[in-house]
Amino acid sequence: MLRIGSGLDVHAFAHGVPLWLGGVLIEHDRGLAGHSDGDAVVHALIDALLGATGLADIGQRFPSSEDRWRGARSTTLLAQVWGELSSAGWQLENADLTIVAAEPRLAPHIPDMRSALAAALGTDQDRVGVKATTTDGVGALGRADGVLAHAVALLSRASA
Ligand code: MG
C-alpha cells in the first residue's frame, strides 16, 4: 500500500532568534518566529508524513497553546512522529522538499539539511531531497518577510 502526503508551512523572519532550517542552524541576522524553533522545513515534512497516513496535522499534535512545545527542536518532533508511524509499519519511500526563501543563500546548507532530516527519519539521504528557490523578488517572500517550505512524502506499508 502506498500513501502520498503533502505539507506546507510559512514562518516570518524575526530578529533575535536563531535561524533553524531543515534541522540545521544557519548563520543569519534573523531567524524564524515560531512557538518551536520555527523550522518551517521540518514542519512541512511532518505534515506531509501525517497527511499521508491520515493523521491530525502538526498544529493539532503539537498545539502552540501547550507550553511544553515552546522552543522545541523541530527535528525532535519529527523523530517522535516518525517513530510512531514506523511502529505502525510505515516505511518512507522518499520525501522531496522545496524551500522558498529570498535570503540567506541556502545552496551551501542543503547537504547538511538532507543529513539532518535523514537522521531524524532513520533513513538514507538519497530518500530525502531538498532544494531551494526564490520568488525572483515577487511578493512578501521576495521581500524576505519569511520562508515557505513545501514537502511531499511517499510512504509504503505491507498490506495486512
Ligand atoms: Mg510551522
Side-chain angles (χ1 to χ4, degrees):
M1 171 169 63
L2 291 172
R3 287 286 185 270
I4 192 168
S6 78
L8 181 77
D9 197 23
V10 179
H11 281 247
F13 272 122
H15 289 283
V17 290
L19 177 59
W20 285 96
L21 270 184
V24 175
L25 182 60
I26 295 173
E27 189 83 28
H28 195 51
D29 63 343
R30 296 183 296 168
L32 293 176
H35 187 65
S36 62
D37 60 12
D39 193 329
V41 177
V42 176
H43 296 177
L45 178 55
I46 290 173
D47 263 349
L49 297 171
L50 291 170
T53 52
L55 294 172
D57 69 15
I58 186 172
Q60 295 182 54
R61 179 164 288 245
F62 304 108
S64 55
S65 56
E66 286 187 23
D67 237 24
R68 61 188 166 136
W69 307 123
R70 187 176 301 284
R73 180 67 14 85
S74 295
T75 43
T76 303
L77 308 182
L78 173 62
Q80 182 181 322
V81 165
W82 183 244
E84 288 176 33
L85 297 184
S86 56
S87 294
W90 290 104
Q91 294 191 345
L92 178 71
E93 294 301 321
N94 75 303
D96 190 25
L97 292 86
T98 304
I99 309 167
V100 183
E103 62 179 55
R105 204 171 104 72
L106 295 176
H109 303 288
I110 284 178
D112 286 345
M113 290 186 199
R114 294 181 71 194
S115 172
L117 297 171
L121 295 168
T123 192
D124 298 328
Q125 289 183 41
D126 66 358
R127 289 181 186 268
V128 183
V130 179
K131 52 199 174 301
T133 187
T134 71
T135 63
D136 212 13
V138 173
L141 293 171
R143 292 188 300 269
D145 287 352
V147 171
L148 178 150
H150 177 246
V152 174
L154 184 66
L155 306 186
S156 63
R157 185 166 73 174
S159 297

